Amino acid sequence: MKYFILILAFAALVNAENEWSPKTAADIKLIRQECIKDFPLTEQDIQNMRNFIYPDEEPVRKYLLCTAKKLGIFCEHEGYHADRVAKQFKMDLDEAEVLAIAQSCHDNNEQGSNPDVWAYRGHKCLMASKVGDKVKAYIKKKSEESQKQ
């Protein structure tokens, strides 16, 4: 009976992995709001992040970890899921190209860092890449559009 329960749990886990899908802009906004409640940032931190400056400080790292976990693109056992990063952030890029970039940013945490430090390293790498450039351009465009309204 014990083995049967383990098999069912494993099957549920595998099925949950297959059910992941990219989040919408509305989903991301909600996730960011939830994470800012759970991991408050200073006004300076928020202003820095609006300017795509992510200081290597615990509150910023914890916020980034929270958002990555809630997006379903990072787990504390495996790090970033490159395939999910590629699907979430491909925008107008070829998904295979984004996957290659995400894979190049993946590390196995050989240092044994805390999850927030590990997630921060991956975030920093992605934001310094072509993917990060696309994300920044998208956010700037959306910000400008919202200011016009």
Side-chain angles (χ1 to χ4, degrees):
M1 183 68 168
K2 195 184 310 183
Y3 293 111
F4 179 71
I5 293 171
L6 285 173
I7 291 170
L8 284 178
F10 180 74
L13 178 64
V14 168
N15 192 36
E17 287 284 316
N18 292 334
E19 290 182 20
W20 180 89
S21 61
K23 307 303 181 255
T24 65
D27 295 335
I28 293 170
K29 183 176 181 179
L30 182 63
I31 287 169
R32 292 175 64 208
Q33 290 170 348
E34 290 171 359
C35 289
I36 204 89
K37 285 180 188 173
D38 293 343
F39 301 97
L41 298 171
T42 66
E43 282 301 317
Q44 185 61 50
D45 289 335
I46 293 168
Q47 189 59 39
N48 283 338
M49 289 174 38
R50 283 186 181 135
N51 293 313
F52 309 107
I53 300 167
Y54 302 91
D56 187 1
E57 298 171 355
E58 185 176 14
V60 173
R61 292 191 313 260
K62 296 276 187 186
Y63 169 81
L64 292 173
L65 172 64
C66 177
T67 58
K69 286 172 63 176
K70 287 182 182 273
L71 283 169
I73 61 172
F74 183 91
C75 77
E76 295 184 8
H77 304 289
E78 298 173 31
Y80 279 98
H81 298 281
D83 59 328
R84 293 180 179 185
V85 170
K87 285 179 176 39
Q88 182 68 53
F89 298 107
K90 70 178 181 177
M91 297 181 195
D92 62 348
L93 296 171
D94 179 66
E95 190 173 323
E97 179 181 15
V98 178
L99 179 60
I101 292 168
Q103 288 171 333
S104 74
C105 287
H106 180 78
D107 76 60
N108 293 320
N109 197 22
E110 292 86 12
Q111 305 88 329
S113 303
N114 288 332
D116 63 309
V117 174
W118 188 14
Y120 178 82
R121 275 195 313 266
H123 179 269
K124 188 175 175 180
C125 179
L126 284 168
M127 291 304 288
S129 73
K130 189 175 186 178
V131 174
D133 293 342
K134 290 290 185 176
V135 168
K136 291 172 193 174
Y138 174 81
I139 292 171
K140 282 181 182 178
K141 179 181 175 191
K142 290 296 181 186
S143 178
E144 289 168 0
E145 288 173 359
S146 70
Q147 288 176 359
K148 288 180 182 177
Q149 294 175 351

